[in-house]
Each structure stands twice: as C-alpha cells, then as structure tokens.
Amino acid sequence: MKKSRETRRVVSASCSTRNRQRRTLIMNSWAKPLLLFEVTLFAAASLVHSGVLPGGYEHARAATAEGLIAVVLACGIFACLFRPAWTRSVALAVQSFALFATLIGAFTIAIGIGPQTMADRVFHLLLLLVLISGFVATFKWNS
C-alpha cells in the first residue's frame, strides 16, 4: 500500500520537528554548563584582580572588565533557562562578546597597558582557548 504524497509530507514534517526538538535538548544539555564554567572563570579572574582572592595581582580595570563579562555570560545562562529555543543564539552572542572583550584584554597585555604577570598571560590564553572552543562548538551545532 503506497502512502499518499500528503501523508509522506506530514510524516516527514513530524520527524523533522522531533529531530529539531532532540537537537535543542542536546544543545541545552551542554551549552548552559559551558556558559556556567565561563562565568566561573571570569568571576574568579575578577576576584583575583580586585584583591579578594590571592593578593599581588590587583588591577582595577581588569577586575571591572572581567566582572562585566561574567555578568553578561550569566545573563546568557538565564536567557537560556527562560527561552530554551534561543540557547544557540544566546550562547553565540554572549560568547562573542566575551571573546571580543578577552581579545581586547590580551591586546592590552601585549602592548604593556594591562597586567603584566605571567599568571595573567597564561590565564588569558586559557580564557581564549575555552571561549574559542565553546564558540566553535556552538557555531557548528546544527539547529
């Protein structure tokens, strides 16, 4: 018994919707923890540069910038919680902002304006690696 063209279209649309929902669930399962990890990294950096965590690395402008990035990433997590369908777009947006701001921070270190310790250089490299990896993974995710 052959299926009619309309029946095949409905079945195909139904499968497509199920696949999209499944991909969204998977995306939601790893995107929020990744953003939370990034928030933690930036919050820790802000606390170090403000002198709350181990001393000797105080730098007010760096603390402010990293704190702002942490807040933007945290807002992204809340947006993902309240609008799960937007997870990919929100993750791309907030990670783009964080990556751009971190590149500015790395540039200031490179030209001698920002903090000049080896710990800052290594930590900025780690931040860049995490952000680039997260951005690429999110960008490549089909939704």
Side-chain angles (χ1 to χ4, degrees), residues 37-141:
F37 178 65
E38 293 169 355
V39 167
T40 304
L41 287 176
F42 280 101
S46 181
L47 291 173
V48 167
H49 282 132
S50 63
V52 174
L53 293 180
Y57 299 102
E58 289 84 0
H59 193 277
R61 289 183 181 168
T64 303
E66 290 156 347
L68 177 64
I69 295 168
V71 168
V72 169
L73 289 166
C75 289
I77 292 171
F78 286 114
C80 292
L81 289 171
F82 293 114
R83 297 284 189 201
W86 295 358
T87 297
R88 181 174 183 265
S89 299
V90 168
L92 284 172
V94 297
Q95 287 183 100
S96 295
F97 172 79
L99 183 57
F100 179 70
T102 303
L103 285 170
I104 291 172
F107 178 73
T108 63
I109 289 172
I111 63 172
I113 296 173
Q116 296 298 309
T117 66
M118 183 56 74
D120 278 306
R121 291 181 179 127
V122 170
F123 193 71
H124 270 81
L125 180 62
L126 172 71
L127 288 173
L128 287 170
L129 289 173
V130 169
L131 288 168
I132 290 169
S133 299
F135 181 84
V136 168
T138 306
F139 185 78
K140 285 188 170 189
W141 189 260

